[in-house]
Amino acid sequence: MKINGRHYKTIWVKEGDEKTIQIIDQRNLPHEFVIEELNSVEDVFNAIKEMHVRGAPLIGATAAYGMYLSVLEAEEKKDERIIEDSAEKLISARPTAKDLEWAVKQQLEKINKTNDLKEKKRIALSNAKKISNESAEQCKKIGEFGVKLIEEISRKKNGETVNILTHCNAGWLACIDFGTATAPIYEAQKKGIKIHVWVDETRPRNQGSRLTAWELLQQEVPHTVIVDNAGGHLMQNGLVDLVLVGTDRTTFNGDVANKIGTYLKALAAKDNEIPFFVALPSPTIDWEMKSGKSIPIEERNSDEVKYARGLLDGKIRKVLLTPKESHAKNYAFDVTPARLITGLITERGICKADEKSIKELFSEKFIEEID
Ligand code: MRU
């Protein structure tokens, strides 16, 4: 997608230096645009854990490059145990997003197909690139399928603006390109459909007000930032036509883990009979988990709740919001049960959030991995 008119992806190999991976450091966006270089597994681990990169598909792709760097380290230190150890370490960086574990295991499987380190290196790099490219392609497809929902609403409204509410950042910054929840929005914009996006700020890290707002601004999509608690009120007053969110892990019964607060949006949408769709590429689906109740929910440092970060006098600063002594809890995700979800938008099409419908789209996964 575009930043100041120039096309970027969120991760790439540095030109002329195959040992360096470059990412957009998302921590200080929208105020500072910084490209960071990752040169070791430790760098990759920190970038994922401390959320320089975030969003399920992007942390998967970043970990895939991390596995490539682990092969370089194994070669340099003449110790192949580094590869398995790195896989374990990278998977532990963030527990909820399925894409992370999926990408690391994919890499391990490919790397282990040969004993030749040079060949391992070649395979790991080419597979990391493949994972990234395929992820971007999946998001593009999600856009093509998802836009039909927006088109239909626009038709019913006789071409009046379609108001879409989104939570967190399930945009291109969370992916490699296009985004998941945002892909249908960008596709609708291309088709000239009138759209407007309500952007939930998404406390405590403000992925909505910092990242989604910034990327929509860059792509010139009309949008308005709202506080997390405003969604229900907007829905009651007919100001939301569609809720579109992403997910970090979807179990094969259709339960969806996504950024904390998603569940409340789904409840409000159900109560107001507003369609609630979840956009996801298939690596986000957990083919071994039957129910969202088993999804590990990440708990992050409580300081993220107690403090806010923002721009003051040209500098990014951190300010305390609560009494210093107050205890805070920081659950990063919640689970929206399938019964509250109108449908899932995948790279293979739109389906109901239930086992039977998911099975119809991805029958091979059930034969291979669940039986
Ligand atoms: O904690 P984050 O910022 O990594 O959480 C990201 C989300 O919850 C996204 O909605 C999810 O990864 C889907 S992104 C395409």
Side-chain angles (χ1 to χ4, degrees), residues 139 142-148 150 164 178-189 195 244 279 345:
C139 288
I142 288 171
E144 287 162 13
F145 286 114
V147 74
K148 292 179 188 150
I150 303 176
I164 301 160
F178 309 107
T180 56
T182 54
I185 293 171
Y186 294 136
E187 202 56 34
Q189 183 194 36
I195 41 169
L244 263 182
I345 313 170

Side-chain angles (χ1 to χ4, degrees), residues 50-258:
E50 301 308 324
M51 295 174 68
H52 309 197
V53 286
R54 26 88 27 221
L58 179 56
I59 59 182
T62 309
Y65 280 110
M67 287 306 293
Y68 158 63
L69 294 179
S70 82
V71 182
L72 299 188
E73 284 177 34
E75 187 184 43
E76 196 188 327
K77 295 183 182 149
K78 298 189 176 27
D79 181 1
E80 287 197 35
R81 279 173 311 182
I82 287 175
I83 300 174
E84 294 280 345
D85 292 351
S86 302
E88 213 172 293
K89 187 179 168 98
L90 289 170
I91 290 175
S92 75
R94 295 199 70 193
T96 303
K98 181 67 188 171
D99 309 51
L100 174 59
E101 187 193 349
W102 172 85
V104 169
K105 287 193 171 161
Q106 251 238 16
Q107 278 286 54
L108 259 191
E109 196 190 311
K110 306 258 176 196
I111 292 167
N112 286 341
K113 280 197 170 134
T114 170
N115 291 324
D116 177 34
L117 256 182
K118 260 210 176 85
E119 186 58 6
K120 281 184 193 286
K121 222 164 47 181
R122 190 195 63 73
I123 292 174
L125 179 58
S126 105
N127 198 45
K129 287 181 181 168
K130 185 165 172 267
I131 286 174
S132 299
N133 292 337
E134 281 179 2
S135 181
E137 198 46 43
Q138 286 160 348
C139 288
K140 192 161 179 283
K141 286 266 175 246
I142 288 171
E144 287 162 13
F145 286 114
V147 74
K148 292 179 188 150
L149 301 170
I150 303 176
E151 264 171 331
E152 199 182 309
I153 297 169
S154 166
R155 236 187 340 265
K156 281 190 191 147
K157 289 186 81 176
N158 294 321
E160 263 181 53
T161 302
V162 179
N163 287 298
I164 301 160
L165 183 138
T166 191
H167 191 67
C168 195
N169 171 262
W172 76 271
L173 285 169
C175 304
I176 312 303
D177 215 342
F178 309 107
T180 56
T182 54
I185 293 171
Y186 294 136
E187 202 56 34
Q189 183 194 36
K190 267 207 285 184
K191 289 182 175 240
I193 300 170
K194 278 203 221 157
I195 41 169
H196 165 262
V197 183
W198 294 110
V199 178
D200 279 355
E201 64 174 343
T202 319
R203 275 282 291 150
R205 290 190 68 111
N206 297 320
Q207 288 94 328
S209 54
R210 292 190 304 111
L211 306 175
T212 305
W214 182 73
E215 65 165 90
L216 293 176
L217 192 72
Q218 294 290 332
Q219 316 311 315
E220 299 177 8
V221 174
H223 63 279
T224 307
V225 178
I226 48 175
V227 295
D228 288 326
N229 298 326
H233 171 72
L234 295 178
M235 292 186 210
Q236 283 177 323
N237 285 282
L239 296 170
V240 179
D241 298 304
L242 171 67
V243 182
L244 263 182
V245 297
T247 165
D248 286 79
R249 186 184 303 231
T250 291
T251 51
F252 69 83
N253 68 337
D255 290 346
V256 159
N258 192 47

Side-chain angles (χ1 to χ4, degrees), residues 1-3 6-12 21-30 32-38 47-48 50-54 58 62 172-177 210-211 214-215 218:
M1 303 300 288
K2 284 187 194 143
I3 300 173
R6 187 180 151 190
H7 183 263
Y8 277 90
K9 287 189 175 176
T10 50
I11 187 163
W12 61 94
I21 308 305
Q22 293 185 302
I23 56 162
I24 299 169
D25 182 351
Q26 301 187 18
R27 288 171 302 170
N28 294 330
L29 283 173
E32 286 173 7
F33 179 72
V34 176
I35 290 178
E36 186 184 351
E37 303 200 334
L38 308 178
I48 296 174
E50 301 308 324
M51 295 174 68
H52 309 197
V53 286
R54 26 88 27 221
L58 179 56
T62 309
W172 76 271
L173 285 169
C175 304
I176 312 303
D177 215 342
R210 292 190 304 111
L211 306 175
W214 182 73
E215 65 165 90
Q218 294 290 332

